[in-house]
Amino acid sequence: MAPHTEQLTRPAVRLRGLTRSFGDRRVLDGIDLDLPAGQFTALLGHSGSGKSTLLRALAGLDHTVRGSGELSAPERVSVVFQDSRLLPWQRVLDNVVLGLDGGDARDRGRAALDEVGLGGRERAWPGELSGGEAQRAALARSLVREPELLLADEPFGALDALTRIRMHRLLRELWQRHRPSVLLVTHDVDEAVVLADRVLVLQDGRIGLDLAVDHDRPRDAYRARLLTALGVTEDPA
């Protein structure tokens, strides 16, 4: 189910001329990008292409980026990393509500854990969770803050194939329910096509391909085009 048309006319993120260099190497080279509110976008690129750098800039974690124009994002931004980053000395519910204000914070935390399938695990320690469960807890921690923008930096990269499929389904369901804008950084072309409604390819510091995905169409056509944009050719079967 695609976001409503009227929602997509309202930009959640607007970048103009975003630049980031590491020494003499320019990783982001004057990027212009709009992310409509409620859209699920995936960002592909080779290792070192600047995907995570762009995500960190949007999250406000990198203050050395420069822009000739705008860098605007919503106030409520949540980030999910490849590592769940749960505090091992805090129980699961305490991790989920860490930093939350309000007397209903723990109730909201329990509701978020229920949504990701961890109801009843509130008092578990992070070390007692599987990798998939830990990422579910990380998703709950992000969603309990009701983000307008969810930034996900390869959140399923360390999971086994079957767990990754389950997490794909969960993330898509949670997005449909809450409708934040999502920017998913991934190396996996198939993951991008399965999850996102729009796929960007970062090339030489700029957006080299901006591809809208129609989930009713065969996936192979999108996959082939994205692999070509990444400079990858597959041997015929």
Side-chain angles (χ1 to χ4, degrees), residues 175-212:
W175 169 72
Q176 288 175 335
R177 194 175 304 150
H178 294 274
R179 291 295 184 184
S181 299
V182 176
L183 181 63
L184 170 72
V185 167
T186 180
H187 282 98
D188 189 333
V189 169
D190 291 321
E191 180 172 85
V193 173
V194 165
L195 287 174
D197 299 306
R198 178 188 183 193
V199 183
L200 309 174
V201 178
L202 196 57
Q203 298 171 322
D204 300 320
R206 294 177 178 270
I207 303 299
L209 178 66
D210 187 340
L211 182 64

Side-chain angles (χ1 to χ4, degrees), residues 6-191:
E6 62 268 23
Q7 187 182 23
L8 292 178
T9 61
R10 179 168 51 88
V13 172
R14 184 175 177 84
L15 302 180
R16 291 295 180 270
L18 189 71
T19 300
R20 179 66 163 97
S21 298
F22 294 93
D24 294 332
R25 180 169 173 257
R26 180 167 289 189
V27 176
L28 303 178
D29 188 13
I31 285 184
D32 295 337
L33 177 63
D34 289 332
L35 297 180
Q39 187 177 72
F40 197 128
T41 305
L43 180 63
L44 288 168
H46 293 287
S47 295
S49 63
K51 302 185 302 299
S52 294
T53 301
L54 177 57
L55 183 142
R56 288 175 60 84
L58 292 176
L61 300 176
D62 186 347
H63 301 290
T64 58
V65 292
R66 294 184 294 106
S68 59
E70 300 178 63
L71 193 172
S72 63
E75 290 186 11
R76 298 196 309 276
V77 179
S78 291
V79 186
V80 182
F81 297 96
Q82 183 171 345
D83 182 340
S84 66
R85 303 199 178 187
L86 300 177
L87 300 178
W89 58 88
Q90 296 271 24
R91 296 186 186 272
V92 168
L93 180 59
D94 295 319
N95 267 284
V96 169
V97 302
L98 186 68
L100 275 186
D101 297 323
D104 65 342
R106 297 183 73 80
D107 288 338
R108 290 164 55 195
R110 291 187 186 94
L113 285 169
D114 283 341
E115 273 200 288
V116 301
L118 289 179
R121 304 301 306 277
E122 294 88 353
R123 290 190 54 77
W125 297 104
E128 298 172 347
L129 303 181
S130 68
E133 289 173 332
Q135 285 302 84
R136 286 173 182 264
L139 275 175
R141 181 180 55 195
S142 296
L143 291 171
V144 78
R145 287 154 175 79
E146 299 178 358
E148 299 167 272
L149 174 63
L150 178 62
L151 302 170
D153 194 357
E154 299 191 64
F156 312 130
L159 303 179
D160 65 82
L162 292 179
T163 303
R164 191 179 304 126
I165 291 170
R166 296 188 189 102
M167 293 300 293
H168 287 170
R169 186 180 302 115
L170 175 63
L171 179 57
R172 185 82 184 178
E173 289 173 355
L174 291 170
W175 169 72
Q176 288 175 335
R177 194 175 304 150
H178 294 274
R179 291 295 184 184
S181 299
V182 176
L183 181 63
L184 170 72
V185 167
T186 180
H187 282 98
D188 189 333
V189 169
D190 291 321
E191 180 172 85

